[in-house]
Amino acid sequence: MKVLKFGGTSVGSAERMKSLVALIKSNEPKIVVLSAMSGTTNALVEIANALYARKNDKAKKLINALEKKYESVLKELYSKETSLNKGKELVKNHFEFIRSFTLDMFTANEEKAILAQGELLSTAMEHFYLEENGIESVLLPALNFMRIDENDEPDMKYIEENLKTELKKYSGKKLFITQGYICRNAFGEIDNLKRGGSDYTATLIGAALISEEIQIWTDIDGMRNNDPRIVEKTFPVTELSYDEAAELAYFGAKILHPTCVLPAQKKKVPVRLLNALQPQAKGTVITEKTPTDRITAVAAKDGIIAIKIKSTRMLLAYGFLRSVFEIFERYKTSIDMITTSEVAVSVTIDNDSRLDAIVKELKEFCSVEIDKNQTIVCVVGSFSADKQGYALRILDSMKNIPIRMISYGGSENNVSVLIDAKYKKETLVALNKQLFNL
Ligand code: ADP
Ligand code: ASP
Ligand code: MG
């Protein structure tokens, strides 16, 4: 069994939905994971925001506009009356459901139910299109097997058991279509795997079934050596180790959901990044194979908050770091980067929802300084400790940029540097030039 995930652009128009057929119709058994059509989840977020703000007229206008877009896609997608009618019924039902939230109070659970509509629509639309073209497929409801626990972590045991139970219902079937991104939470409510989560759905399914391969089809030919949205010249990296890919995804390479590499890595399932617009391109393969001695790629993660914590006692007493970290643990706020000195520790976080409470507790025994709007630039590669020169090359490229924190040696795969967000582009361009001669 292979798992193939297609992102928003790969199902972003009737034309793209049609061209998917060539990529999935072979007789090999496969599970196809689809995202919402590009722009849909953003539009649903906008609708939910309007509902939260009690701007129901605005919400209704946004809902109408999105529904119109879907109606026009249907006309282009289907050529037979029966499929078109099925599509119309589908769209009508989903938009009636979304519209029902304009009548009453709006809650966080309802927001999640709204955000799920994009993937429910795209998968059913593709399923009807396959049916119209005589290709048999099974629409597998992700809400029957994809689940997160009370810590918002995937419930692997539940996923494995329930996915296998679902598949058993269709013995002999080869092509399954399911929704990316959406899941249930520990209370059985509709939830999601966070933005970009369809990649995570694919790797969780791939790991649950120990599949032959997980393919992530998107709009670019593989992982590039630098962020193509920011620097002009980049090249695809043909081979990555799981560790390298995980660091790049976590530190901002948008092509992969931040934590989606881990399930594949645990079960040693290869992940291939491919371009749906250019299916012949080689892309990137992610496996255990660890290339030694190279600088592989650069990524950047925005929205970082730096917290400088200084002990109010003269010397760093033992137990100080534990007291600091306990506070972050209690507020379920994970730390990305750490640097320490004799009397101070600086950490970074990317989630400020509990920041006020954290600072209040820290101030009971420390002085605290906060810097918002920071960016972590992460240089990923294989830097074994007995090889010299990597840190020097990286820092030399950044000699004109004010550096707030540096982290080196935490793993053999990453050198991270914290800078003010306003220096991000300059930094990525400088690293491209010096490290990759681009
Ligand atoms: P999908 O909708 O298919 O999930 P995404 O937009 O989430 O696609 O991810 C693909 C995009 O990721 C690319 O179009 C590219 O702009 C962006 N990206 C950021 N960093 C990288 C990188 N290092 N390599 C490749 N793509 C990257
Ligand atoms: N549709 C969701 C999003 O836009 C999930 C995904 O595309 O992976 O975030
Ligand atoms: Mg994505």
Side-chain angles (χ1 to χ4, degrees):
M1 181 78 89
K2 280 188 180 171
V3 182
L4 282 71
K5 175 259 170 176
F6 293 88
T9 33
S10 313
V11 290
S13 62
E15 193 197 337
R16 301 270 19 115
M17 284 191 166
K18 288 180 186 176
S19 58
L20 215 68
V21 174
L23 302 173
I24 63 177
K25 73 172 181 200
S26 76
N27 219 11
E28 278 184 317
K30 60 178 83 67
I31 298 184
V32 174
V33 176
L34 299 184
S35 295
M37 295 181 76
S38 53
T40 296
T41 311
N42 285 346
L44 294 171
V45 168
E46 223 185 326
I47 291 166
N49 288 343
L51 290 171
Y52 269 130
R54 296 186 170 232
K55 293 183 179 163
N56 285 13
D57 285 340
K58 181 180 174 190
K60 279 181 203 161
K61 274 190 196 142
L62 293 168
I63 297 168
N64 292 344
L66 190 62
E67 186 174 18
K68 282 226 157 61
K69 188 180 141 187
Y70 273 85
E71 283 165 353
S72 73
V73 172
L74 296 178
K75 281 187 204 138
E76 242 188 279
L77 184 60
Y78 303 115
S79 45
K80 290 185 187 153
E81 193 75 19
T82 42
S83 329
L84 183 61
N85 288 339
K86 270 187 168 180
K88 280 184 176 167
E89 188 65 20
L90 173 88
V91 167
K92 190 170 133 255
N93 288 342
H94 283 276
F95 279 87
E96 259 171 26
F97 177 72
I98 300 173
R99 223 172 259 117
S100 71
F101 297 110
T102 60
L103 303 173
D104 212 336
M105 283 275 292
F106 192 60
T107 65
N109 283 346
E110 291 174 342
E111 176 183 9
K112 290 181 175 156
I114 286 192
L115 296 186
Q117 300 309 305
E119 273 71 11
L120 291 167
L121 279 162
S122 62
T123 45
M125 284 160 69
E126 189 70 42
H127 174 65
F128 295 156
Y129 182 71
L130 290 166
E131 193 176 64
E132 184 180 90
N133 288 277
I135 300 164
E136 194 181 22
S137 69
V138 175
L139 193 56
L140 212 57
L143 297 178
N144 287 2
F145 63 85
M146 195 51 71
R147 193 175 172 110
I148 49 175
D149 63 19
E150 55 284 356
N151 295 317
D152 286 354
E153 294 289 335
D155 185 340
M156 222 39 227
K157 194 160 170 274
Y158 182 98
I159 296 168
E160 206 177 306
E161 278 173 17
N162 287 276
L163 174 58
K164 286 181 180 164
T165 308
E166 282 295 309
L167 291 172
K168 267 196 201 123
K169 293 182 194 163
Y170 306 100
S171 72
K173 302 286 188 235
K174 296 252 166 86
L175 177 58
F176 296 89
I177 313 280
T178 194
Q179 299 84 22
Y181 177 59
I182 66 173
C183 62
R184 290 197 187 272
N185 60 27
F187 310 103
E189 299 152 344
I190 295 182
D191 212 313
N192 61 63
L193 301 172
K194 310 256 162 63
R195 296 304 305 271
S198 300
D199 302 331
Y200 209 11
T201 304
T203 58
L204 288 166
I205 293 176
L209 302 177
I210 316 190
S211 70
E212 190 189 329
E213 183 171 284
I214 299 159
Q215 299 178 354
I216 309 273
W217 289 83
T218 181
D219 58 359
I220 192 163
D221 48 344
M223 179 71 78
R224 301 241 146 198
N225 72 303
N226 203 330
D227 194 326
R229 295 166 299 178
I230 296 175
V231 301
E232 240 169 69
K233 289 185 203 152
T234 59
F235 59 84
V237 181
T238 51
E239 285 183 32
L240 280 176
S241 69
Y242 289 119
D243 286 332
E244 289 176 321
E247 300 266 18
L248 287 166
Y250 189 75
F251 287 106
K254 192 188 169 228
I255 186 169
L256 287 172
H257 174 280
T259 53
C260 78
V261 178
L262 301 175
Q265 181 168 24
K266 260 191 202 152
K267 297 289 170 71
K268 299 192 173 71
V269 180
V271 179
R272 211 175 273 281
L273 309 180
L274 294 159
N275 187 351
L277 307 170
Q278 227 181 296
Q280 308 327 327
K282 203 167 166 205
T284 299
V285 63
I286 305 168
T287 59
E288 253 192 324
K289 206 167 112 192
T290 309
T292 49
D293 216 8
R294 68 166 183 181
I295 293 181
T296 311
V298 178
K301 184 173 172 180
D302 295 321
I304 303 295
I305 301 131
I307 311 172
K308 190 175 196 175
I309 305 156
K310 206 167 170 190
S311 169
T312 39
R313 290 174 217 143
M314 275 307 283
L315 279 177
L316 199 61
Y318 56 83
F320 170 70
L321 286 177
R322 197 197 60 198
S323 314
V324 168
F325 292 143
E326 259 175 10
I327 296 174
F328 286 89
E329 188 185 343
R330 212 164 333 112
Y331 289 101
K332 294 191 174 168
T333 299
S334 65
I335 292 171
D336 286 331
M337 265 178 92
I338 309 174
T339 56
T340 58
S341 76
E342 185 63 12
V343 290
V345 52
S346 283
V347 303
T348 70
I349 59 173
D350 63 2
N351 172 3
D352 64 358
S353 60
R354 314 302 297 276
L355 184 61
D356 292 344
I358 291 171
V359 170
K360 190 164 172 256
E361 290 206 27
L362 286 171
K363 280 195 170 162
E364 284 171 20
F365 60 102
C366 315
S367 69
V368 180
E369 276 172 45
I370 307 280
D371 283 323
K372 292 196 174 175
N373 251 331
Q374 305 289 301
T375 293
I376 295 177
V377 172
C378 178
V379 181
V380 167
S382 306
F383 316 125
S384 49
D386 57 349
K387 292 279 191 292
Q388 59 276 72
Y390 285 118
L392 180 70
R393 278 174 69 196
I394 293 162
L395 295 178
D396 189 49
S397 326
M398 295 180 66
K399 60 178 177 260
N400 298 320
I401 291 148
I403 294 176
R404 172 81 170 68
M405 281 168 72
I406 302 170
S407 169
Y408 175 58
S411 82
E412 288 197 348
N413 294 106
N414 149 356
V415 177
S416 301
V417 183
L418 186 75
I419 53 165
D420 193 298
K422 66 181 177 217
Y423 299 114
K424 172 173 150 180
K425 181 164 186 188
E426 194 182 338
T427 305
L428 294 185
V429 169
L431 289 168
N432 222 31
K433 216 175 191 172
Q434 304 264 354
L435 303 180
F436 303 104
N437 300 317
L438 292 172

